Amino acid sequence: MKKSRLVLTVLLSSFILLGGAIWMVKTQPNIKNKLREILGLNKTQDEGIKTENELSQKTQKKPSRLLALPEFKLIDQNNEPFSSQEMVGKIWVVNFISTRDQKTAEMQTANVSALQSRLSNFELWNDVLFITISVDPEYDQPNILKAYSESLNVSLKNRKFLTGDRNTIWELCRDLFTLDFGKTPPAPGNLLFQTNDIILLDRGANFTGHYNGVQEKDIVKLLGDILTEIPKKEGKIAVPESIVTPLWLDDRKAEQLKTISEFEVYHDFMFTDKLNETGINFRNQITGAGGRYYEAVHYDHGNGLAVADVDNDGWEDIYFVTQLGTNQLWRNLGNGKFEDITAKAGLEMKEQISVGASFADIDNDGDADLFVTTVKDGNRLFENTGNGTFKDVSKPSGLDYRGHSSGSVFFDYDKDGLLDLFVTNVGQYTTDSLITMKVTHPDNPLQNGTYTYYAPLKDAFAGHLKPERTETSILYKNKGNNQFEDVTEAVKLNSKAWSGDATPLDADADGWVDLYVLNMQGDDEYYENVEGKYFKNKSRELFPKTSWGAMGVKSFDYNNDENLDIYVTDMHIDMGSSRNKTPIVAAEKMKTSNTNADFLQSENVLFGNAMFQGKSDGTFNEVSEEINGENFWPWGLSVGDINADGYEDIFVASSMNFSFRYAINSVLLNNKGKKFMDSEFILGVEPRKNGISAAYWFNIDCDGSDKLRFECQERSGKYEVFGAMGSRSSAIFDIDHDGDLDIITSENNGAPMVLINNLSDKKEALNYLKIKLIGSSSNKEGFGAKVTVKTKLTTQTKVKDGKSGYLSQSSIPLYFGLGETKKIQQIDILWPSGKKQTIRDNIPTNDLLIIEEK
Amino acid sequence: MLVGLGIVIELLTLAADLSLISNPLASSSSDTLRIQFTGELHNWQFLYPGKDGVFYTSDDVKIIDSDNLFLPSNKEILFELRSKDYFYCLDIPELEKSQIAVPDMLFKLNFYAGKPETLSLFPGAICGTINDNLNRKINIVSNHEFNNWLENN
């Protein structure tokens, strides 16, 4: 047992020096199975279920086809010729029936139909051909086959019923489908043979597997093989395999559909990912730390995205953030299309690792300026020079702090009419040595190139246990003329939290904006603003327990009681959960999470997401269980009334990526302020477009330098490795100005989703009002203004804070859904300056109302 | 070279252990079996104190390449976890126990090994999923079997 591993260790060390983490893999079947179960891997795929029916014993397994394809000609159900040419490039699923004399024919046909329907969700579907061949060819003439398929409601898309010459079929079955029923076919009039086998051939017409067509588990296995085995043969490996066939998505969808009777609110609308139609070809590119050289480090928190109308043309533009390559600004052309104006706008930044971005009008000149956080490359401030072009004023502004900055929020803490800035710092999670990484993406070469990033600390996620790694978050006072001053100490802010984000809110309604600061590795913090002079730590007084791994935060009034509530998402609670089950309760997730006291270093842990329901006296009740506030592997959240019924709904960007399982993005539809209904499947947000939840991650060479990687276990050759897709942040706004709210996401290592809402097409009477605020004695952006819209149905209170998604702040109009009324009785605005304004007359609906501070 | 490296590692471990001795909480009675876990290169090394119950003596037993750990039944057990590089997580689901190993820090996990049974030892998810190398089986066996195993290592 005491084998020396020195040679291996030296070898490994050299890889580590190159920045590569290598995982040695031993074969421990039982433990591995347990681990795979934890990861959500489909056990049945591993166990290789054998077909039990003796009818399936006649198949010979042949590993690969070395001979040329046999030529053949048959006839389909429409009396059209069908030849071997049809096989080229297609994956074949073949079964054999007699329409008049086979007990199992109908069951087989139904099972293939079920498979066909399942596969139609996947992109691969277009490459699959379902073939049913008659074993009774003299009787089963085309008209018989056609009538048969119609009687069983078979969809003939990608599917054919074939008949033809007895000897041709016999030879075909023998040579191509490896069915061995003897040397010569039975005499005409007799069935050629009977089998329940379904044969799978890959694109090269190679035998890939046989499955019992009347056994449900075999059909499931066949589906799995089509989606995993065939890509594997084509040089693709998914880690874990379940990301390619997330069968639990079907179960989850079915469960969600069962809850429809509980919906008291409008839900008959859908989101569709229309990225391709927009022309946006931005792609988020991560550091190797989150991909090829996976190490557990905060780089995996990804990037934000921010939205603002940078050129004041009335259309909101989108700023995408990436770790490697340049962030990009896409101008909304108003016709559903976007244009990349990064270079023109002077915003190319190619050398740094960016994290988050915020838009705000810092100089009150009526346009949106831009702040970007980076990892140890200096944060950036870009002043908008008026027409959508920007000037880098990072250095003179004093905002060019170099550290592990993350989210940033503009708000006016001292009510001088200038927006101040709070920058959250995570803590030291990198070393000073640089790793060079070459990006060569097969589908999206735009960001290809060679990049460097700071090497992660190997124990980054234990950073909170090491006080010397603390990086205090910073409050900057805006002194005017684009000059900022670090006043953190002066105002007694001393946030040592490992903070990824924060939100301003005036919880005690004293007119001075307070700060809720997230901690991703410990207790959240709450700082009450004492008249703009200093901040008082009221963390445990107001929030005795908080989510330990807090990622996203948004304060809003979910129950329309005019008190602001705070919703916080907690990621770490979910790390060990095996898969997405319902009901989702924190207690279930907790069982598989690290709840070790030495690691948590806190006795104030609230497991799972938190919904702090605000009360009129400025205190909070935690009600996440009652309102169904839990979801899976959440990051940032955005809030918006996506069904325009007068209650705010929630989108939670979710899922970890390579090498973890896939988790769904969550849409929580507000059920009249009582609770939230899981509705991502009902509203078309899940499954993702084409049913795909896996994406290309990196290449490996199992004969070369990657030999020791776990993916290369029992493999040789070159492969593309696929990981789970995952969102990090989002913004909710009316992208296409059709009156309903759309969702745009920031994906970790992927292209964004542009989820277009069809509510305006579906709902006959869609009623809403958008409000743009223009401050005068208050900051021009109107950040901090509280707007109350009263109709006979609801009183909605919203604070304009620009918070939308993780790591981001946007400059977008407030959106009020009005439900079934068109009539707004009154709008009250409480400006940050303290001014109160009431509007009663001539209030438009289904329009943008611009309100200037008076 | 191998010996030299070994000595350096032992010294480092000893240095870490001295801090343990100075910690009053760390003192444990002879009824407790202490086992040192050291995480290195996504793998565990284990050190048993041997029959004399004292570390860094000639009868110490080092387990560096085994899928199985053995513990005697009816005994208090104390795992002392350290790391030479990464952040390691350890879960024993059957006991609903977890612990971590972090460079320059010492963490402990104690439990009572009761009747003979087999427990699993997994890496926790927060430390990453691809850590198959950290999987172990903990076999709780009779005193006799345990001593045999120890002697054969």
Side-chain angles (χ1 to χ4, degrees):
Chain A
M1 282 184 189
K2 280 189 204 170
K3 274 177 261 166
S4 165
R5 287 194 123 158
L6 186 69
V7 175
L8 191 55
T9 305
V10 169
L11 194 59
L12 283 168
S13 304
S14 63
F15 281 109
I16 299 293
L17 286 173
L18 290 169
I22 305 293
W23 302 274
M24 296 168 285
V25 180
K26 282 188 240 159
T27 315
Q28 300 165 62
N30 291 334
I31 291 178
K32 191 165 278 173
N33 277 342
K34 172 74 182 171
L35 186 73
R36 295 167 75 84
E37 196 180 300
I38 287 170
L39 297 177
L41 288 173
N42 194 343
K43 225 184 211 171
T44 56
Q45 286 178 18
D46 259 16
E47 289 166 356
I49 293 164
K50 302 282 184 294
T51 46
E52 290 148 7
N53 195 311
E54 59 172 349
L55 289 176
S56 68
Q57 297 300 313
K58 296 286 184 181
T59 310
Q60 312 162 336
K61 278 211 170 187
K62 284 187 188 170
S64 65
R65 167 160 301 278
L66 299 170
L67 301 168
L69 252 180
E71 296 265 332
F72 63 85
K73 280 198 172 67
L74 296 171
I75 307 165
D76 75 9
Q77 76 283 348
N78 292 326
N79 217 3
E80 301 283 337
F82 182 93
S83 77
S84 45
Q85 282 308 305
E86 309 261 348
M87 300 198 73
V88 177
K90 295 282 183 188
I91 296 158
W92 271 36
V93 176
V94 191
N95 75 319
F96 311 89
I97 62 159
S98 154
T99 61
R100 65 169 172 173
D101 194 19
Q102 190 183 16
K103 281 186 210 155
T104 61
E106 278 189 24
M107 197 179 197
Q108 278 193 52
T109 306
N111 282 342
V112 173
S113 292
L115 185 69
Q116 198 185 6
S117 152
R118 256 310 304 240
L119 270 170
S120 65
N121 291 326
F122 293 86
E123 207 176 21
L124 195 71
W125 146 254
N126 291 316
D127 298 343
V128 182
L129 207 53
F130 297 89
I131 299 294
T132 301
I133 295 177
S134 172
V135 291
D136 190 8
E138 293 82 15
Y139 176 81
D140 285 333
Q141 289 301 299
N143 61 327
I144 301 269
L145 292 173
K146 191 172 168 73
Y148 177 80
S149 70
E150 281 168 2
S151 73
L152 293 173
N153 288 322
V154 171
S155 158
L156 292 171
K157 190 160 165 39
N158 297 9
R159 189 164 176 183
K160 298 223 189 259
F161 287 77
L162 301 179
T163 185
D165 172 66
R166 168 167 292 257
N167 285 317
T168 305
I169 293 176
W170 182 259
E171 283 164 18
L172 186 62
C173 291
R174 184 191 62 205
D175 299 340
L176 195 54
F177 306 134
T178 70
L179 290 166
D180 181 12
F181 288 99
K183 280 181 183 161
T184 50
N190 299 306
L191 298 188
L192 278 164
F193 52 81
Q194 284 198 61
T195 181
N196 289 334
D197 267 11
I198 298 179
I199 307 290
L200 175 63
L201 301 183
D202 70 10
R203 275 184 245 260
N206 300 305
F207 177 88
T208 301
H210 68 107
Y211 312 82
N212 190 324
V214 295
Q215 294 275 342
E216 199 186 325
K217 59 183 179 182
D218 261 36
I219 300 293
V220 170
K221 165 106 167 81
L222 170 55
L223 176 68
D225 284 357
I226 292 171
L227 292 169
T228 57
E229 287 305 314
I230 290 202
K232 213 180 278 175
K233 283 175 117 176
E234 292 168 0
K236 293 177 173 137
I237 305 172
V239 181
E241 279 187 7
S242 65
I243 60 176
V244 183
T245 46
L247 294 171
W248 55 267
L249 287 178
D250 277 5
D251 302 340
R252 184 97 176 78
K253 182 177 187 171
E255 280 178 55
Q256 193 165 97
L257 289 171
K258 279 188 222 156
T259 66
I260 274 191
S261 60
E262 295 172 46
F263 280 69
E264 293 175 32
V265 293
Y266 190 80
H267 56 271
D268 187 20
F269 63 104
M270 295 286 276
F271 289 91
T272 309
D273 183 358
K274 294 198 174 166
L275 171 71
N276 294 343
E277 287 88 326
T278 63
I280 294 170
N281 63 9
F282 168 81
R283 189 182 182 288
N284 178 281
Q285 184 70 52
I286 57 166
T287 65
R292 181 174 176 76
Y293 308 127
Y294 184 79
E295 285 179 321
V297 63
H298 303 74
Y299 280 125
D300 68 18
H301 289 207
N303 296 108
L305 85 169
V307 177
D309 176 9
V310 295
D311 50 2
N312 284 325
D313 66 351
W315 293 87
E316 295 83 2
D317 312 303
I318 308 169
Y319 185 73
F320 294 101
V321 185
T322 179
Q323 288 180 348
L324 303 182
T326 184
N327 303 334
Q328 293 179 5
L329 178 62
W330 284 80
R331 181 167 171 255
N332 191 339
L333 301 177
N335 56 359
K337 304 266 183 219
F338 286 76
E339 175 196 6
D340 181 0
I341 57 165
T342 315
K344 205 160 73 182
L347 287 174
E348 283 203 314
M349 29 192 306
K350 289 184 173 167
E351 302 298 323
Q352 77 306 317
I353 308 297
S354 296
V355 183
S358 293
F359 276 118
D361 183 358
I362 57 158
D363 45 6
N364 291 334
D365 64 353
D367 51 42
D369 308 298
L370 174 66
F371 181 73
V372 182
T373 55
T374 73
V375 181
K376 296 205 294 197
D377 197 60
N379 296 330
R380 308 281 212 286
L381 179 66
F382 296 97
E383 186 200 348
N384 191 331
T385 54
N387 52 2
T389 60
F390 292 81
K391 189 178 147 195
D392 188 339
V393 295
S394 314
K395 212 160 227 158
S397 73
L399 294 180
D400 58 340
Y401 170 81
R402 293 171 80 97
H404 300 83
S405 297
S406 184
S408 54
V409 276
F410 286 97
F411 71 110
D412 184 6
Y413 84 90
D414 53 359
K415 295 210 283 188
D416 63 354
L418 291 167
L419 286 173
D420 310 301
L421 175 64
F422 186 66
V423 178
T424 66
N425 290 323
V426 175
Q428 287 175 38
Y429 59 81
T430 63
T431 71
D432 282 336
S433 58
L434 285 165
I435 293 178
T436 300
M437 181 186 166
K438 200 172 172 195
V439 175
T440 49
H441 196 282
D443 306 327
N444 195 321
L446 291 176
Q447 304 264 42
N448 285 355
T450 303
Y451 302 99
T452 54
Y453 63 95
Y454 289 100
L457 279 163
K458 287 175 179 169
D459 59 346
F461 283 155
H464 63 289
L465 303 174
K466 302 194 166 179
E468 70 276 13
R469 293 192 191 164
T470 301
E471 225 173 291
T472 309
S473 294
I474 308 169
L475 180 67
Y476 294 99
K477 177 179 162 57
N478 187 339
K479 298 192 296 180
N481 299 318
N482 297 339
Q483 307 271 308
F484 288 79
E485 183 189 353
D486 179 349
V487 294
T488 317
E489 278 182 35
V491 300
K492 300 183 183 172
L493 262 180
N494 187 23
S495 171
K496 304 221 178 291
W498 281 62
S499 182
D501 217 336
T503 189
L505 84 153
D506 183 10
D508 54 358
D510 65 350
W512 298 92
V513 183
D514 315 313
L515 267 179
Y516 189 101
V517 183
L518 298 184
N519 192 341
M520 62 179 77
Q521 283 165 237
D523 301 338
D524 292 349
E525 295 169 347
Y526 188 81
Y527 295 97
E528 189 180 296
N529 184 343
V530 183
E531 296 179 354
K533 292 177 194 130
Y534 66 97
F535 285 82
K536 194 173 170 188
N537 188 334
K538 285 201 162 179
S539 307
R540 296 292 76 78
E541 190 180 320
L542 275 172
F543 304 94
K545 286 174 188 277
T546 59
S547 306
W548 190 87
M551 290 296 151
V553 62
K554 173 71 185 167
S555 91
F556 66 107
D557 180 12
Y558 86 85
N559 53 359
N560 286 348
D561 66 353
E562 300 182 49
N563 299 313
L564 286 179
D565 314 303
I566 306 171
Y567 184 51
V568 178
T569 52
D570 180 5
M571 192 256 267
H572 289 151
I573 189 75
D574 189 22
M575 283 203 146
S577 296
S578 58
R579 58 187 62 197
N580 299 6
K581 284 182 209 152
T582 47
I584 316 170
V585 288
E588 286 299 313
K589 290 188 191 177
M590 229 179 90
K591 285 180 188 163
T592 51
S593 286
N594 193 329
T595 51
N596 177 272
D598 286 329
F599 178 64
L600 297 178
Q601 293 286 314
S602 166
E603 286 167 4
N604 314 310
V605 178
L606 173 78
F607 289 102
N609 296 346
M611 175 64 94
F612 297 111
Q613 185 189 62
K615 296 192 284 186
S616 54
D617 62 358
T619 62
F620 295 86
N621 276 337
E622 203 287 302
V623 296
S624 57
E625 293 274 306
E626 292 98 296
I627 57 108
N628 183 38
E630 215 57 63
N631 41 40
F632 287 98
W633 216 309
W635 299 90
L637 64 127
S638 295
V639 158
D641 187 358
I642 56 171
N643 57 355
D645 65 345
Y647 290 91
E648 295 276 46
D649 310 300
I650 306 172
F651 176 85
V652 187
S654 310
S655 187
M656 188 53 190
N657 306 85
F658 179 84
S659 55
F660 291 83
R661 69 188 169 78
Y662 176 69
I664 53 173
N665 280 315
S666 284
V667 179
L668 297 172
L669 208 59
N670 192 329
N671 217 15
K672 289 197 182 294
K674 287 176 275 188
K675 66 183 279 198
F676 289 88
M677 304 299 294
D678 294 318
S679 53
E680 54 283 335
F681 289 94
I682 291 166
L683 301 180
V685 168
E686 289 288 343
R688 288 171 176 241
K689 191 175 175 182
N690 298 325
I692 295 172
S693 50
Y696 166 80
W697 227 249
F698 50 81
N699 287 78
I700 50 169
D701 179 1
C702 291
D703 299 330
S705 57
D706 298 316
K707 211 182 297 186
L708 292 173
R709 289 183 70 99
F710 78 97
E711 298 98 335
C712 288
Q713 200 182 11
E714 294 163 21
R715 280 196 186 106
S716 63
K718 292 178 178 173
Y719 295 91
E720 289 183 346
V721 179
F722 282 61
M725 294 169 126
S727 309
R728 291 295 181 276
S729 185
S730 63
I732 298 184
F733 65 105
D734 184 3
I735 296 172
D736 47 10
H737 289 197
D738 64 351
D740 56 37
L741 290 174
D742 310 297
I743 304 169
I744 185 147
T745 69
S746 168
E747 299 293 307
N748 193 44
N749 211 31
M753 287 194 280
V754 181
L755 298 166
I756 300 295
N757 189 343
N758 72 353
L759 182 73
S760 59
D761 302 331
K762 296 286 285 189
K763 198 166 190 304
E764 280 175 22
L766 169 66
N767 305 311
Y768 68 92
L769 179 67
K770 291 182 205 169
I771 297 178
K772 181 181 175 177
L773 300 171
I774 300 178
S776 56
S777 45
S778 304
N779 68 84
K780 201 152 194 172
E781 195 73 61
F783 278 170
K786 186 172 174 179
V787 181
T788 305
V789 169
K790 282 196 183 101
T791 70
K792 65 177 178 189
L793 300 174
T794 52
T795 298
Q796 298 178 54
T797 307
K798 296 184 195 205
V799 173
K800 178 160 177 178
D801 59 14
K803 278 302 291 173
S804 188
Y806 187 41
L807 310 166
S808 321
Q809 190 177 27
S810 290
S811 173
I812 39 184
L814 292 172
Y815 179 95
F816 291 86
L818 303 175
E820 301 307 316
T821 179
K822 275 194 190 323
K823 172 82 184 147
I824 292 174
Q825 295 166 336
Q826 183 172 324
I827 302 176
D828 293 294
I829 304 112
L830 174 60
W831 294 91
S833 64
K835 278 187 192 164
K836 287 180 182 169
Q837 202 168 336
T838 298
I839 301 169
R840 288 199 187 84
D841 304 318
N842 302 321
I843 301 174
T845 50
N846 294 9
D847 205 347
L848 172 72
L849 177 65
I850 298 173
I851 302 176
E852 291 184 44
E853 182 178 8
K854 279 179 190 151
Chain B
M1 185 210 169
L2 182 58
V3 175
L5 187 69
I7 289 170
V8 172
I9 290 169
E10 290 299 305
L11 284 174
L12 287 172
T13 317
L14 182 62
D17 205 57
L18 287 173
S19 67
L20 171 73
I21 292 162
S22 65
N23 179 352
L25 291 172
S27 62
S28 52
S29 75
S30 59
D31 294 340
T32 300
L33 172 63
R34 287 164 61 195
I35 301 163
Q36 293 185 1
F37 281 46
T38 306
E40 187 174 16
L41 287 169
H42 295 284
N43 209 334
W44 286 121
Q45 293 174 16
F46 307 96
L47 189 67
Y48 284 71
K51 270 189 181 166
D52 62 3
V54 181
F55 283 118
Y56 315 118
T57 54
S58 59
D59 70 343
D60 286 5
V61 176
K62 196 171 199 173
I63 309 290
I64 55 171
D65 193 17
S66 170
D67 295 341
N68 285 281
L69 278 190
F70 286 79
L71 300 175
S73 58
N74 303 318
K75 184 95 175 166
E76 284 291 344
I77 307 291
L78 178 67
F79 292 162
E80 300 170 2
L81 288 85
R82 295 178 179 83
S83 163
K84 289 186 179 171
D85 42 33
Y86 295 95
F87 168 42
Y88 295 87
C89 304
L90 177 155
D91 282 350
I92 307 175
E94 292 89 347
L95 302 177
E96 292 185 11
K97 293 250 184 194
S98 65
Q99 192 45 284
I100 54 173
V102 178
D104 308 318
M105 298 182 88
L106 169 68
F107 291 100
K108 294 180 212 163
L109 177 65
N110 68 290
F111 61 96
Y112 184 74
K115 62 179 190 319
E117 62 176 323
T118 305
L119 308 174
S120 343
L121 200 148
F122 294 116
I126 197 171
C127 294
T129 64
I130 308 166
N131 278 312
D132 286 23
N133 226 35
L134 296 167
N135 293 329
R136 294 291 186 281
K137 285 227 174 298
I138 303 176
N139 304 285
I140 300 175
V141 295
S142 69
N143 249 322
H144 177 69
E145 275 180 84
F146 173 72
N147 288 330
N148 275 347
W149 175 76
L150 211 55
E151 271 169 29
N152 289 323
N153 272 283

PDB file of all heavy atoms in Angstrom, chain A residues 484-497:
ATOM      1  N   PHE A 484     -13.802  61.522  -7.043  1.00  0.00           N
ATOM      2  CA  PHE A 484     -14.371  60.741  -5.941  1.00  0.00           C
ATOM      3  C   PHE A 484     -13.349  60.615  -4.818  1.00  0.00           C
ATOM      4  O   PHE A 484     -12.146  60.584  -5.056  1.00  0.00           O
ATOM      5  CB  PHE A 484     -14.785  59.353  -6.431  1.00  0.00           C
ATOM      6  CG  PHE A 484     -16.009  59.355  -7.304  1.00  0.00           C
ATOM      7  CD1 PHE A 484     -15.938  59.719  -8.648  1.00  0.00           C
ATOM      8  CD2 PHE A 484     -17.254  58.999  -6.783  1.00  0.00           C
ATOM      9  CE1 PHE A 484     -17.074  59.720  -9.449  1.00  0.00           C
ATOM     10  CE2 PHE A 484     -18.387  58.998  -7.582  1.00  0.00           C
ATOM     11  CZ  PHE A 484     -18.304  59.357  -8.923  1.00  0.00           C
ATOM     12  N   GLU A 485     -13.866  60.517  -3.611  1.00  0.00           N
ATOM     13  CA  GLU A 485     -12.983  60.388  -2.452  1.00  0.00           C
ATOM     14  C   GLU A 485     -13.409  59.182  -1.623  1.00  0.00           C
ATOM     15  O   GLU A 485     -14.599  58.975  -1.366  1.00  0.00           O
ATOM     16  CB  GLU A 485     -13.099  61.665  -1.598  1.00  0.00           C
ATOM     17  CG  GLU A 485     -12.179  61.678  -0.400  1.00  0.00           C
ATOM     18  CD  GLU A 485     -12.465  62.855   0.544  1.00  0.00           C
ATOM     19  OE1 GLU A 485     -13.290  63.729   0.177  1.00  0.00           O
ATOM     20  OE2 GLU A 485     -11.893  62.870   1.637  1.00  0.00           O
ATOM     21  N   ASP A 486     -12.433  58.359  -1.225  1.00  0.00           N
ATOM     22  CA  ASP A 486     -12.703  57.195  -0.379  1.00  0.00           C
ATOM     23  C   ASP A 486     -13.052  57.685   1.030  1.00  0.00           C
ATOM     24  O   ASP A 486     -12.196  58.224   1.728  1.00  0.00           O
ATOM     25  CB  ASP A 486     -11.460  56.296  -0.357  1.00  0.00           C
ATOM     26  CG  ASP A 486     -11.643  55.065   0.517  1.00  0.00           C
ATOM     27  OD1 ASP A 486     -12.636  54.995   1.272  1.00  0.00           O
ATOM     28  OD2 ASP A 486     -10.787  54.160   0.431  1.00  0.00           O
ATOM     29  N   VAL A 487     -14.316  57.529   1.420  1.00  0.00           N
ATOM     30  CA  VAL A 487     -14.750  58.000   2.740  1.00  0.00           C
ATOM     31  C   VAL A 487     -15.119  56.834   3.661  1.00  0.00           C
ATOM     32  O   VAL A 487     -15.769  57.023   4.690  1.00  0.00           O
ATOM     33  CB  VAL A 487     -15.957  58.970   2.629  1.00  0.00           C
ATOM     34  CG1 VAL A 487     -15.549  60.255   1.923  1.00  0.00           C
ATOM     35  CG2 VAL A 487     -17.140  58.315   1.911  1.00  0.00           C
ATOM     36  N   THR A 488     -14.691  55.632   3.275  1.00  0.00           N
ATOM     37  CA  THR A 488     -15.090  54.433   4.018  1.00  0.00           C
ATOM     38  C   THR A 488     -14.864  54.588   5.519  1.00  0.00           C
ATOM     39  O   THR A 488     -15.771  54.372   6.324  1.00  0.00           O
ATOM     40  CB  THR A 488     -14.299  53.214   3.498  1.00  0.00           C
ATOM     41  OG1 THR A 488     -14.260  53.275   2.070  1.00  0.00           O
ATOM     42  CG2 THR A 488     -14.940  51.924   3.935  1.00  0.00           C
ATOM     43  N   GLU A 489     -13.645  54.971   5.865  1.00  0.00           N
ATOM     44  CA  GLU A 489     -13.334  55.088   7.289  1.00  0.00           C
ATOM     45  C   GLU A 489     -14.045  56.276   7.915  1.00  0.00           C
ATOM     46  O   GLU A 489     -14.565  56.191   9.029  1.00  0.00           O
ATOM     47  CB  GLU A 489     -11.829  55.231   7.489  1.00  0.00           C
ATOM     48  CG  GLU A 489     -11.124  53.896   7.461  1.00  0.00           C
ATOM     49  CD  GLU A 489      -9.636  54.014   7.718  1.00  0.00           C
ATOM     50  OE1 GLU A 489      -9.228  54.882   8.528  1.00  0.00           O
ATOM     51  OE2 GLU A 489      -8.881  53.264   7.084  1.00  0.00           O
ATOM     52  N   ALA A 490     -14.086  57.367   7.162  1.00  0.00           N
ATOM     53  CA  ALA A 490     -14.693  58.597   7.686  1.00  0.00           C
ATOM     54  C   ALA A 490     -16.157  58.383   8.074  1.00  0.00           C
ATOM     55  O   ALA A 490     -16.640  58.978   9.041  1.00  0.00           O
ATOM     56  CB  ALA A 490     -14.569  59.711   6.658  1.00  0.00           C
ATOM     57  N   VAL A 491     -16.861  57.518   7.335  1.00  0.00           N
ATOM     58  CA  VAL A 491     -18.283  57.301   7.656  1.00  0.00           C
ATOM     59  C   VAL A 491     -18.479  56.019   8.471  1.00  0.00           C
ATOM     60  O   VAL A 491     -19.591  55.536   8.629  1.00  0.00           O
ATOM     61  CB  VAL A 491     -19.153  57.251   6.380  1.00  0.00           C
ATOM     62  CG1 VAL A 491     -19.053  58.552   5.602  1.00  0.00           C
ATOM     63  CG2 VAL A 491     -18.790  56.053   5.514  1.00  0.00           C
ATOM     64  N   LYS A 492     -17.354  55.492   8.972  1.00  0.00           N
ATOM     65  CA  LYS A 492     -17.373  54.324   9.861  1.00  0.00           C
ATOM     66  C   LYS A 492     -17.953  53.068   9.209  1.00  0.00           C
ATOM     67  O   LYS A 492     -18.566  52.234   9.881  1.00  0.00           O
ATOM     68  CB  LYS A 492     -18.149  54.645  11.147  1.00  0.00           C
ATOM     69  CG  LYS A 492     -17.557  55.802  11.937  1.00  0.00           C
ATOM     70  CD  LYS A 492     -18.343  56.010  13.215  1.00  0.00           C
ATOM     71  CE  LYS A 492     -17.807  57.214  13.992  1.00  0.00           C
ATOM     72  NZ  LYS A 492     -18.633  57.565  15.124  1.00  0.00           N
ATOM     73  N   LEU A 493     -17.794  52.977   7.897  1.00  0.00           N
ATOM     74  CA  LEU A 493     -18.192  51.727   7.229  1.00  0.00           C
ATOM     75  C   LEU A 493     -17.009  50.790   7.352  1.00  0.00           C
ATOM     76  O   LEU A 493     -15.894  51.152   7.007  1.00  0.00           O
ATOM     77  CB  LEU A 493     -18.469  51.972   5.749  1.00  0.00           C
ATOM     78  CG  LEU A 493     -19.908  52.170   5.303  1.00  0.00           C
ATOM     79  CD1 LEU A 493     -19.945  52.391   3.812  1.00  0.00           C
ATOM     80  CD2 LEU A 493     -20.786  51.004   5.691  1.00  0.00           C
ATOM     81  N   ASN A 494     -17.259  49.610   7.835  1.00  0.00           N
ATOM     82  CA  ASN A 494     -16.138  48.701   8.046  1.00  0.00           C
ATOM     83  C   ASN A 494     -16.561  47.296   7.647  1.00  0.00           C
ATOM     84  O   ASN A 494     -16.553  46.375   8.447  1.00  0.00           O
ATOM     85  CB  ASN A 494     -15.709  48.771   9.514  1.00  0.00           C
ATOM     86  CG  ASN A 494     -14.446  47.988   9.751  1.00  0.00           C
ATOM     87  OD1 ASN A 494     -13.658  47.756   8.822  1.00  0.00           O
ATOM     88  ND2 ASN A 494     -14.251  47.555  10.981  1.00  0.00           N
ATOM     89  N   SER A 495     -16.944  47.170   6.392  1.00  0.00           N
ATOM     90  CA  SER A 495     -17.454  45.885   5.940  1.00  0.00           C
ATOM     91  C   SER A 495     -16.319  44.955   5.572  1.00  0.00           C
ATOM     92  O   SER A 495     -15.619  45.179   4.598  1.00  0.00           O
ATOM     93  CB  SER A 495     -18.370  46.067   4.741  1.00  0.00           C
ATOM     94  OG  SER A 495     -18.672  44.797   4.219  1.00  0.00           O
ATOM     95  N   LYS A 496     -16.152  43.918   6.363  1.00  0.00           N
ATOM     96  CA  LYS A 496     -15.119  42.931   6.085  1.00  0.00           C
ATOM     97  C   LYS A 496     -15.720  41.693   5.425  1.00  0.00           C
ATOM     98  O   LYS A 496     -15.082  40.648   5.301  1.00  0.00           O
ATOM     99  CB  LYS A 496     -14.390  42.554   7.364  1.00  0.00           C
ATOM    100  CG  LYS A 496     -13.792  43.763   8.088  1.00  0.00           C
ATOM    101  CD  LYS A 496     -12.419  43.461   8.628  1.00  0.00           C
ATOM    102  CE  LYS A 496     -11.774  44.662   9.300  1.00  0.00           C
ATOM    103  NZ  LYS A 496     -11.418  45.722   8.349  1.00  0.00           N
ATOM    104  N   ALA A 497     -16.958  41.806   5.029  1.00  0.00           N
ATOM    105  CA  ALA A 497     -17.646  40.682   4.392  1.00  0.00           C
ATOM    106  C   ALA A 497     -16.949  40.300   3.089  1.00  0.00           C
ATOM    107  O   ALA A 497     -16.374  41.145   2.415  1.00  0.00           O
ATOM    108  CB  ALA A 497     -19.094  41.065   4.104  1.00  0.00           C
TER     109      ALA A 497
END
